[in-house]
Amino acid sequence: MAKESNANNSKVKRASAPTIDVRSGMDVESLKQAITEHLFYQQGRNIVNTSLNDLYMAVSHTVHDRLLQHEHKTMNAVFDNNNVRLVSYMSAEFLMGPQLGVNLIDLNIMAEMEQAVQELGFSLNTIMAQEEEPGLGNGGLGRLAACYIDSMASQQIPAIGYGIRYEFGIFDQVIRDGWQVEITDKWLRNGNPWESARPELAVNVKFGGHTESYLDSNEYLRYRWKPDYMVTGIPYDTPIMGYKVPSCNFLRLWKSEAEESFDFSSFNQGDYYKAVEYKVKSENISKVLYPNDEMLGGKKLRLKQQYFFVSCSLQDMMNIHLRFDGKPQDFHKRWAIQLNDTHPSVAVAELMRILVDEYHVDWDVAWHTTCSTCSYTNHTLLPEALEKWPVGLFAYLIPRVLEIIFEINYRFLKEVSSRFPGDNGKLSRMSIIDESGEKFVRMANLACVGCCAINGVAELHTELLKQQILHDWVEMFPERFHNVTNGVTPRRFVVLSNPGLSNLIIESIGDKWPGKLDELRKLEPFADDAAFREKFRSVKLENKKILAALIKERTGVVVNPSSMFDVQVKRIHEYKRQHLSVLHIIALYLRIKQNPDIDIVPRTFIFGGKAAPGYFSAKLIIKLINSVGDVVNNDPDVKDRLKVVFFPDFNVTNAQLIYPAADLSEQISTAGKEASGTGNMKFSMNGALTIGTLDGANVEIREEVGNDNFFLFGLTAAQVEDAKRNGYNPHFIYDNNEELRNVISMINSGRFSNGDTNLFKPITDNLLWHDPFMLMADFSLYIACQDLVAETWKNTAEWNRMAILNVARMGKFSSDRSIQDYCEKIWKVKPFNIRKA
Ligand code: NBG
């Protein structure tokens, strides 16, 4: 009986079901069928004997099929239209994060896929958790590139992201005995369903050898580069879908391989091992992402990576341009290149080489084309982060490119001396070649000479750039300077990672906001609505419970979800001052030790972030955090009122669970040092309040959310500079502040290091005698501000009111707005609606 009625049911269902479309159908039945077929035909499994990874692959291939349809339609429409200018976003890093979730959101089939997977007997969350994230970036800069390609697609800006397909991305971090240990990130080991190799679009890149001149058929003097060897770049494409629009761009990452014919010649001569060595040398180029914050001085491989991906990308762009009837000198009409920091800035010289040597375009015409194509974003004021390469290394690896740089420099310096006669200081500062000692190629100078636009990433940063490191350039080319304040994508960082908050917002103001973040303003009145505040609070609490469970699983520490989650997650760097927060923790601990019954707001301090493997002080800060945690977390006097957690392996996947659970966002860099920060935006969007300095984008966040809804402390950038000029004396501050003295003494006493009084000396000595990042100067202001934070926390209604206003006023910090700014101020590119094309 039951059987019969089942059969009847399925008959009825089949009769009324839409036609199943395995490759592009968006309904539940099509998705189910597609998953089952992928599982069988691609993974060789069926639904009853599948592994989780096979299932993840099948689901992802199902989604990938649908993206490809959009990508093809978009690119056909774009390339067929000769008037469309595309953006080429060149970046050595794309910190993409997992792809499945955002693609489901963009395609607007999250619910359908959830149901499809459920009907097959699985849970979509478990499948999504299976994804190994492509960690092809270090931190903010790489993540920004990922947000920007998301927003370009969503804004229907035709664009290609160009970068390197590192076989190993940023290392995985594990904590052993409180110390960071680095493990290679084998993200490709289980396969990558999102990419397609395009070997038919491979290009070759020259390295080494020498150059020679010759006369062409018109008796013009030309140059030719006779390389030692060539390396082949194979493009791997990943579709980048726009949010609820038909546009789909792609990310093209280059993998290096040995060039066949070269290999062959040694092989023929019987030198088999040399041929293999060449193969290994070629493949090494795209092997591993370099961690930043390390001296790259002699890292030959890093320069090779930069030139490799820039040359591949420019050749690819030229091929596309010519295939669609463009003339080489009109390259800029087809392409706007954005250089994400100086890493791809060799593009200025490489584009000149391609135009002049390969297409015989006149130098002056080629220069106009190049400058009209390229723009440069600066991401840091830290002088040690400004890239320069030994001239000898350039000459050895890319001799023809160096000659072109010399020629660009010669012509440029002539212009400088005619504009500023007799100003030799200016000449030597602006020269692309640093000749003050060993000769270097200054990559920022190359970018500034050859780009029609130069921008900083937050208002303060752009102002400081103009006053400080790029001052000469402002005098020379004032019209080139712009500010584009960074932004982040609300699709990944709110809709996907905080479904509780998203649903609450949708219930209240509708669902337009993820694509139009200014809409969030409509939430403002809800800040005064007690019922809404209560719902908001309970969403936060649920998120905190999820994080608490994960903390227990990853670190063994049990934390209380109703304590204040005070969070600092970002790369570990002295200028970001994770150790300032540690000083605050110790101050609170001391207050408890002095008076165990003191009334203190329970807090869970959560840290996360990687330190560059060679950055000793940063690694010692990680050890200090863990050591303080060991003592504080286990002291019975504390009665669990303070907990300190170092969450290992901070990456995009973990970040998506951390931001939604934060109450307090720590943005406490020394003023003038953090170019922008983007974590600060992700926290506020998820309803955390910020304690921060007037640095980077904090300034604009505070302007937007209102001074009353932001905990400000610390010296301003100008005060920092003044203090330094006037002989800053950290020891004097220490001598005059008892609480600070007690905190430092406690560290030096060996209390956190099993009696070892030397372990943390490098940190405390540096603070007392040098303190380049002014922790001593800001300590008392920070502690006072933290006391105010604690007072505010006690008033739950007030805290939540402020937090809701933070969410409501985050519209400016959508990366969609940043992309609109780039389009208007810099690229002169308009949205291209493929439906109307
Ligand atoms: C980083 C800055 C951040 C900024 C990101 C993105 C580098 C060189 N710079 O403050 O430190 O938010 O770039 O612009 O990684």
Side-chain angles (χ1 to χ4, degrees):
M1 202 36 204
K3 221 174 174 187
E4 222 164 78
S5 82
N6 260 348
N8 280 343
N9 273 349
S10 67
K11 243 184 225 152
V12 172
K13 232 185 187 172
R14 222 171 281 141
S16 64
T19 338
I20 287 182
D21 178 350
V22 176
R23 294 292 182 181
S24 57
M26 301 293 210
D27 58 289
V28 176
E29 291 306 318
S30 296
L31 293 174
K32 269 165 70 179
Q33 184 69 22
I35 295 169
T36 320
E37 288 194 13
H38 273 300
L39 198 57
F40 188 77
Y41 291 107
Q42 231 150 348
Q43 310 298 119
R45 297 276 198 150
N46 57 45
I47 211 82
V48 289
N49 73 355
T50 178
S51 71
L52 198 52
N53 191 63
D54 286 321
L55 198 59
Y56 158 73
M57 293 294 277
V59 170
S60 300
H61 279 299
T62 298
V63 176
H64 187 243
D65 287 343
R66 282 138 186 86
L67 299 179
L68 283 180
Q69 318 258 355
H70 289 286
E71 185 193 307
H72 277 245
K73 277 188 205 140
T74 308
M75 287 304 153
N76 286 342
V78 167
F79 290 139
D80 275 352
N81 186 329
N82 281 326
N83 296 321
V84 177
R85 192 177 196 213
L86 284 91
V87 176
S88 156
Y89 198 86
M90 283 195 185
S91 179
E93 305 190 4
F94 285 92
L95 185 45
M96 297 297 288
Q99 293 297 291
L100 177 54
V102 273
N103 283 326
L104 291 171
I105 288 171
D106 289 338
L107 288 171
N108 203 12
I109 53 168
M110 183 65 92
E112 288 78 358
M113 187 58 94
E114 248 163 23
Q115 192 183 331
V117 167
Q118 203 179 14
E119 288 181 14
L120 293 172
F122 302 90
S123 121
L124 185 57
N125 275 339
T126 320
I127 293 174
M128 289 204 292
Q130 177 67 22
E131 183 167 353
E132 189 97 45
E133 73 169 75
L136 310 186
N138 273 283
L141 175 145
R143 185 51 237 175
L144 187 80
C147 284
Y148 282 1
I149 54 174
D150 169 301
S151 279
M152 284 188 266
S154 298
Q155 296 294 302
Q156 311 201 63
I157 302 301
I160 301 178
Y162 278 110
I164 302 173
R165 181 179 176 276
Y166 301 104
E167 187 179 335
F168 304 121
I170 187 71
F171 62 86
D172 293 336
Q173 177 194 58
V174 294
I175 303 295
R176 289 204 191 118
D177 188 28
W179 295 96
Q180 165 176 297
V181 176
E182 301 92 23
I183 312 277
T184 37
D185 159 53
K186 299 190 182 140
W187 71 287
L188 288 167
R189 91 190 108 187
N190 294 327
N192 174 6
W194 303 104
E195 64 181 13
S196 321
R198 304 239 179 267
E200 76 284 5
L201 300 179
V203 292
N204 288 332
V205 178
K206 298 178 172 128
F207 282 105
H210 63 277
T211 64
E212 54 189 33
S213 58
Y214 68 99
L215 292 180
D216 70 9
S217 51
N218 297 322
E219 304 277 296
Y220 285 124
L221 182 63
R222 304 266 173 216
Y223 293 86
R224 161 159 72 205
W225 179 359
K226 298 284 223 179
D228 259 352
Y229 60 98
M230 294 213 269
V231 173
T232 300
I234 314 280
Y236 282 70
D237 291 356
T238 301
I240 306 294
M241 189 69 210
Y243 174 67
K244 294 189 181 173
V245 289
S247 293
C248 185
N249 292 327
F250 61 90
L251 173 64
R252 179 160 282 177
L253 302 180
W254 299 95
K255 175 178 190 239
S256 63
E257 287 189 1
E259 206 265 320
E260 291 299 325
S261 58
F262 258 69
D263 185 342
F264 203 55
S265 62
S266 336
F267 193 64
N268 264 355
Q269 291 155 21
D271 196 346
Y272 177 67
Y273 291 99
K274 197 154 176 238
V276 173
E277 193 184 291
Y278 159 67
K279 203 167 153 49
V280 170
K281 192 160 101 176
S282 304
E283 287 171 4
N284 273 348
I285 294 179
S286 60
K287 193 61 84 181
V288 61
L289 166 74
Y290 275 98
N292 59 7
D293 305 328
E294 271 185 38
M295 285 298 145
L296 287 169
K299 301 261 166 70
K300 187 165 95 186
L301 188 58
R302 167 83 173 187
L303 179 57
K304 275 176 137 177
Q305 289 184 335
Q306 295 185 352
Y307 181 66
F308 165 73
F309 98 87
V310 163
S311 179
C312 288
S313 309
L314 287 172
Q315 291 184 57
D316 188 56
M317 290 159 64
M318 184 59 91
N319 291 341
I320 293 173
H321 177 59
L322 299 179
R323 203 176 325 132
F324 293 90
D325 298 332
K327 295 197 192 76
Q329 62 270 31
D330 290 339
F331 189 80
H332 58 292
K333 296 184 182 157
R334 185 51 121 168
W335 291 104
I337 296 180
Q338 193 64 35
L339 304 174
N340 195 26
D341 216 24
T342 53
H343 318 146
S345 62
V346 70
V348 170
E350 175 65 1
L351 182 52
M352 284 299 286
R353 186 192 69 76
I354 293 175
L355 290 167
V356 172
D357 288 2
E358 296 188 3
Y359 294 97
H360 295 181
V361 177
D362 274 359
W363 181 280
D364 290 331
V365 175
W367 186 242
H368 173 259
T369 302
T370 299
C371 297
S372 315
T373 306
C374 299
S375 307
Y376 155 58
T377 306
N378 172 290
H379 293 267
T380 183
L381 293 157
L382 299 186
E384 67 269 24
L386 291 180
E387 280 192 302
K388 51 183 193 174
W389 293 103
V391 165
L393 189 59
F394 248 82
Y396 172 73
L397 282 180
I398 39 176
R400 179 62 189 142
V401 180
L402 183 64
E403 283 176 4
I404 289 179
I405 290 178
F406 283 151
E407 181 67 26
I408 295 172
N409 200 37
Y410 169 76
R411 291 168 184 244
F412 172 65
L413 291 181
K414 266 205 324 209
E415 216 182 311
V416 178
S417 21
S418 82
R419 286 277 306 278
F420 304 95
D423 193 342
N424 289 335
K426 213 180 219 25
L427 272 182
S428 76
R429 288 192 304 271
M430 295 183 84
S431 170
I432 302 174
I433 309 298
D434 175 354
E435 302 195 66
S436 52
E438 186 198 347
K439 288 188 184 167
F440 289 99
V441 182
R442 295 163 166 157
M443 302 310 278
N445 292 31
L446 177 61
C448 289
V449 177
C451 289
C452 56
I454 302 167
N455 75 285
V457 289
E459 274 165 18
L460 175 67
H461 170 236
T462 302
E463 275 320 300
L464 295 175
L465 262 186
K466 294 205 243 173
Q467 284 165 26
Q468 299 171 9
I469 58 173
L470 298 183
H471 185 69
D472 291 314
W473 300 91
V474 180
E475 289 186 346
M476 180 97 185
F477 304 119
E479 72 291 350
R480 290 191 182 178
F481 283 79
H482 303 272
N483 173 61
V484 180
T485 298
N486 283 345
V488 302
T489 168
R491 273 77 67 180
R492 179 179 293 275
F493 290 106
V494 186
V495 180
L496 176 64
S497 51
N498 200 343
L501 180 62
S502 300
N503 291 335
L504 178 60
I505 302 177
I506 290 170
E507 273 169 31
S508 320
I509 62 163
D511 66 357
K512 294 273 179 297
W513 56 273
K516 226 169 156 260
L517 209 62
D518 286 328
E519 287 271 312
L520 285 179
R521 283 269 170 189
K522 294 186 181 156
L523 270 185
E524 276 188 21
F526 291 89
D528 295 317
D529 171 342
F532 183 88
R533 280 202 306 266
E534 182 45 34
K535 288 188 202 158
F536 181 85
R537 193 195 64 79
S538 96
V539 164
K540 181 64 85 182
L541 185 63
E542 286 309 307
N543 293 340
K544 289 165 76 176
K545 285 182 186 161
I546 294 170
L547 183 61
L550 206 62
I551 288 174
K552 168 121 194 299
E553 181 191 313
R554 306 269 165 96
T555 69
V557 180
V558 176
V559 306
N560 172 7
S562 46
S563 64
M564 181 203 300
F565 279 16
D566 175 332
V567 188
Q568 190 170 13
V569 285
K570 48 182 77 225
R571 284 298 286 251
I572 311 293
H573 202 295
E574 287 162 284
Y575 85 78
K576 296 182 188 277
R577 303 200 294 192
Q578 280 89 358
H579 45 338
L580 181 57
S581 174
V582 176
L583 298 183
H584 171 233
I585 297 171
I586 300 173
L588 294 179
Y589 179 55
L590 271 166
R591 288 182 194 172
I592 292 180
K593 292 309 278 181
Q594 280 153 10
N595 174 8
D597 295 325
I598 192 174
D599 175 26
I600 211 165
V601 165
R603 287 205 207 206
T604 301
F605 294 91
I606 299 166
F607 294 87
K610 294 173 186 178
Y615 186 176
F616 170 74
S617 310
K619 291 179 119 172
L620 192 58
I621 290 174
I622 294 181
K623 174 67 177 167
L624 177 64
I625 294 168
N626 282 306
S627 303
V628 169
D630 283 345
V631 171
V632 170
N633 297 349
N634 297 306
D635 186 330
D637 283 348
V638 175
K639 298 201 201 83
D640 291 341
R641 285 170 293 176
L642 304 180
K643 282 282 163 83
V644 183
V645 172
F646 190 91
F647 194 102
D649 202 33
F650 181 63
N651 56 14
V652 180
T653 309
N654 293 329
Q656 288 174 198
L657 293 157
I658 294 175
Y659 296 123
D663 295 305
L664 187 66
S665 153
E666 299 268 354
Q667 306 301 334
I668 59 178
S669 51
T670 318
K673 300 293 176 201
E674 188 70 88
S676 162
T678 42
N680 45 6
M681 304 165 186
K682 296 163 197 164
F683 277 109
S684 294
M685 274 183 199
N686 284 282
L689 297 182
T690 305
I691 179 164
T693 47
L694 277 182
D695 201 16
N698 290 355
V699 178
E700 290 156 78
I701 291 178
R702 179 165 170 268
E703 258 165 38
E704 291 294 304
V705 303
N707 299 356
D708 296 344
N709 302 307
F710 186 106
F711 295 103
L712 177 72
F713 77 97
L715 301 185
T716 62
Q719 287 167 334
V720 166
E721 288 305 311
D722 277 353
K724 289 214 168 130
R725 254 195 308 278
N726 300 326
Y728 173 57
N729 180 354
H731 212 289
F732 179 81
I733 300 174
Y734 167 83
D735 291 336
N736 289 288
N737 182 326
E738 194 189 345
E739 190 166 35
L740 178 55
R741 272 202 314 279
N742 292 340
V743 168
I744 300 279
S745 305
M746 196 169 203
I747 300 175
N748 284 341
S749 72
R751 180 69 167 266
F752 303 114
S753 39
N754 296 319
D756 180 346
T757 51
N758 285 320
L759 181 61
F760 298 119
K761 267 255 169 208
I763 295 179
T764 50
D765 279 353
N766 191 261
L767 292 180
L768 295 186
W769 302 107
H770 308 286
D771 196 20
F773 300 108
M774 304 240 166
L775 281 80
M776 302 289 99
D778 275 345
F779 176 80
S780 59
L781 301 166
Y782 180 57
I783 298 289
C785 191
Q786 283 286 15
D787 290 341
L788 177 64
V789 169
E791 270 315 297
T792 313
W793 175 259
K794 289 181 188 164
N795 183 345
T796 308
E798 175 62 4
W799 183 279
N800 286 317
R801 196 186 65 81
M802 292 165 71
I804 293 164
L805 289 178
N806 266 259
V807 177
R809 296 172 179 174
M810 276 295 117
K812 173 171 177 185
F813 304 100
S814 166
S815 41
D816 296 345
R817 190 273 311 146
S818 310
I819 289 304
Q820 286 159 11
D821 283 358
Y822 276 103
C823 287
E824 279 159 32
K825 298 183 191 174
I826 296 178
W827 301 331
K828 314 292 177 205
V829 165
K830 290 205 168 66
F832 179 75
N833 186 332
I834 64 162
R835 284 216 184 96
K836 293 189 190 145

